Each structure stands twice: as structure tokens, then as C-alpha cells.
Amino acid sequence: MVEELVAAGVTLVSAGAVYVMAAARVVKQYERGVVFRLGKLRPEVRGPGFTMIVPGVDKLRKVNMQIVTMPVPGQEGITRDNVTVRVDAVVYFKVTSPAEAVVRVEDYRFAVAQMAQTSLRSIIGKSELDDLLSNREKLNQGLELMIDSPAVEWGVTIDRVEIKDVSLPETMKRSMARQAEADRERRARVINADAELQASKKLAEAAKEMSEQPAALQLRLLQTVVAVAAEKNSTLVLPFPVELLRFLERAQQGVAAPTPQQPVQQPVEQPVEQSLQEQRASLESRPDPGSAGANSGQD
């Protein structure tokens, strides 16, 4: 009799241990348990810790409550200004209602991923290229609203959506680079013209001040000469006023002029007829060489 009782006790203990092992479940801190009893959803959600179910009758399904980071594959689309781009993003979401996440949608992760891709393509078609490149905050908010609207019914809340990268064609990149270069050149020319205007105003003021003091202009000239002469690889040409050269020329002519002396008496020119008569008389007084030879032959 005692042996039978001991055997029955051992059997009961073994059956109890097997039942406990089959019914015992452990739910982690970041998880929640949803129980289906004979295929029907139980209203209570099992919290973290140790819990028991009816083996063979209940089925426990654990749902992760952590924030899930899901990358959205790059989607190609044409923007509103007819530019072909490829955009990829990342979605942060979490489950807020474990029962609805299990019952209302077959796979809430796959559903969120497909909704994110569809919404991203829709945002690309509604936006311009400049908005995709510089106004991403507004696009992120619109994308988050588009994904969150159907996800709320699935027991999922979209925490954040970020556009990660925008890929452009090479031709568009070169066009944008040329546009940016032209814009920078335009700004440089405007700045240079503004600087020239300011410099001209200052030079006009300086010329006005120098016109009142002529020596200031000479001092400025000498200062410029000193600044240029500091460089050994340049030829220095000094401008001189024409008045200075004329002054030096007149000074040299004054030194070379003779000192005043007594006037030299020039012979008074005789009349022309008197000089001709004197020359004729001198010719007649000379002896004729032919006649002299004849006289000597007769003798």
C-alpha cells in the first residue's frame, strides 16, 4: 500500500513538473506576450517576467516593443521639376499595441517597409530638387505623416523618418557645379565693383586734401618711389615736371652767355661803285706780259 502511494506521489510530481515545464513562459523586459486560447485572442497582455499558459490550449506570441530602425531601399523617381533622382531613407518605429500589431496585419515590419517605400516615391514626385537638397526637414515631416496614418491602425507608431541620401545623375552634378561657379563669380565681381567704388571715393577725398597742400603730393610720390625701390627686380622710372627741366635749361644758358665788353668797330662798307673802280685801276696799272716779250725781241 505504501509503495503504491509513493509511486502515485512520484507520478503526480512528475506530471506536475512536466506541466509546469510545458506551461511556463518567460517574457523579457522589452517584450509583451499576446495569448491565443483555442485561436481566440485573450484580452489581457502578458507583461515582462514569468507567466503561465495552458499547454495545448493557449499559444503565446511575443511582440518586441523596442524602437526598430529600418532602412528604406533607394527609390528612383522624377521630381516635380523633371529631374531623375534616387533617394533612400531610414524609418524609426515601435509597436504601441501588441494585440493589434499581431491581429490586424500579417507582418507589421514588412507592411511598414512597403508603406515607407511607397510614401518615399510619392514625396519625390511632389517635391522639387532644391527641396530634396536643402529643405529636408519639411519633407521628413510629410513623409512621417504619410507613413504614420495607416500604421496607427496596425498598432505601430512612427517615431521618426529621415531622408538619408539623394543621388543625382552626373550630368546634373556638372550642371549644378557650373551654376554654383557662375554664382560665385558673379558675387566676386559685385564685391570687386563695390570695392572699386569705395576706393574711388576715398581717392577723391585724398585728392581733394592734396590739392590744398601741393607738398603732400610730392611726399606721396616719394613714398611711392620708396615702396617700389624696395623690390630689386623692377626698373624705377621717375617722372619730372616739365617746368623743372625748363628752369634748368634757362639756368645753363645764363651761365654760358659772354660777359658784356667794349663794342668792336666794324669797317664801314664802301659803296659798290667805288670798290669796282679801284679794282679796275689796279688791273690797268699792272704791265702786260705779252707786250713786254715783243719789245725784248726787237731789241
Side-chain angles (χ1 to χ4, degrees), residues 255-273:
V255 172
T259 58
Q261 296 178 357
Q262 295 180 356
V264 179
Q265 295 182 356
Q266 297 289 338
V268 180
E269 295 182 357
Q270 298 176 355
V272 178
E273 295 180 356

Side-chain angles (χ1 to χ4, degrees), residues 225-235:
V225 169
V226 171
V228 174
E231 299 180 0
K232 304 296 184 180
N233 57 351
S234 60
T235 302

Side-chain angles (χ1 to χ4, degrees), residues 194-247:
D194 191 11
E196 291 292 340
L197 177 60
Q198 294 179 6
S200 63
K201 291 181 179 179
K202 295 298 182 181
L203 288 175
E205 294 178 2
K208 183 178 179 181
E209 293 292 333
M210 289 182 179
S211 62
E212 298 178 358
Q213 298 292 334
L217 182 61
Q218 298 297 329
L219 293 176
R220 181 58 181 168
L221 176 61
L222 294 176
Q223 184 179 2
T224 305
V225 169
V226 171
V228 174
E231 299 180 0
K232 304 296 184 180
N233 57 351
S234 60
T235 302
L236 184 61
V237 179
L238 295 178
F240 285 98
V242 179
E243 290 78 4
L244 180 60
L245 296 178
R246 291 177 179 175
F247 174 76

Side-chain angles (χ1 to χ4, degrees), residues 23-290:
R25 296 290 186 274
V26 176
V27 181
K28 298 180 181 179
Q29 182 66 36
Y30 55 87
E31 295 177 339
R32 296 295 183 270
V34 179
V35 179
F36 291 90
R37 179 165 292 176
L38 297 178
K40 185 177 181 180
L41 178 66
R42 300 294 295 173
E44 68 274 5
V45 177
R46 305 296 175 88
F50 181 80
T51 185
M52 297 287 292
I53 62 174
V54 179
V57 178
D58 294 343
K59 183 178 180 180
L60 179 68
R61 184 171 177 179
K62 300 177 182 179
V63 181
N64 192 342
M65 303 295 291
Q66 291 177 319
I67 295 177
V68 180
T69 303
M70 177 180 293
V72 181
Q75 303 296 315
E76 291 186 357
I78 301 177
T79 61
R80 193 166 61 180
D81 50 353
N82 299 326
V83 179
T84 303
V85 295
R86 182 180 179 86
V87 182
D88 55 355
V90 59
V91 180
Y92 303 90
F93 67 93
K94 64 179 178 180
V95 177
T96 55
S97 178
E100 294 181 355
V102 174
V103 175
R104 289 184 176 272
V105 63
E106 180 181 3
D107 187 355
Y108 65 90
R109 290 176 178 265
F110 181 75
V112 171
Q114 294 300 314
M115 180 57 64
Q117 295 179 23
T118 305
S119 301
L120 184 58
R121 286 194 295 269
S122 178
I123 285 291
I124 293 173
K126 294 179 180 179
S127 305
E128 295 184 356
L129 181 61
D130 293 339
D131 295 334
L132 290 174
L133 296 176
S134 61
N135 194 13
R136 294 188 181 182
E137 293 295 332
K138 183 179 180 180
L139 297 180
N140 292 337
Q141 294 176 2
L143 187 59
E144 179 181 350
L145 183 61
M146 293 178 64
I147 301 175
D148 189 63
S149 297
V152 172
E153 300 178 358
W154 307 334
V156 178
T157 300
I158 304 300
D159 187 70
R160 192 174 183 181
V161 181
E162 292 286 344
I163 295 178
K164 188 166 56 175
D165 188 19
V166 178
S167 300
L168 299 175
E170 293 297 329
T171 56
M172 180 57 63
K173 290 181 180 180
R174 289 193 293 269
S175 299
M176 294 177 66
R178 289 195 298 268
Q179 180 183 0
E181 184 178 358
D183 187 26
R184 287 193 298 268
E185 185 177 357
R186 178 184 63 83
R187 286 182 296 181
R189 290 184 177 180
V190 170
I191 293 173
N192 190 15
D194 191 11
E196 291 292 340
L197 177 60
Q198 294 179 6
S200 63
K201 291 181 179 179
K202 295 298 182 181
L203 288 175
E205 294 178 2
K208 183 178 179 181
E209 293 292 333
M210 289 182 179
S211 62
E212 298 178 358
Q213 298 292 334
L217 182 61
Q218 298 297 329
L219 293 176
R220 181 58 181 168
L221 176 61
L222 294 176
Q223 184 179 2
T224 305
V225 169
V226 171
V228 174
E231 299 180 0
K232 304 296 184 180
N233 57 351
S234 60
T235 302
L236 184 61
V237 179
L238 295 178
F240 285 98
V242 179
E243 290 78 4
L244 180 60
L245 296 178
R246 291 177 179 175
F247 174 76
L248 296 176
E249 183 179 359
R250 287 195 298 268
Q252 290 179 358
Q253 290 178 357
V255 172
T259 58
Q261 296 178 357
Q262 295 180 356
V264 179
Q265 295 182 356
Q266 297 289 338
V268 180
E269 295 182 357
Q270 298 176 355
V272 178
E273 295 180 356
Q274 185 178 0
S275 61
L276 291 176
Q277 292 177 1
E278 292 179 355
Q279 291 179 2
R280 188 179 294 112
S282 62
L283 290 175
E284 291 177 354
S285 61
R286 291 180 182 177
D288 190 359

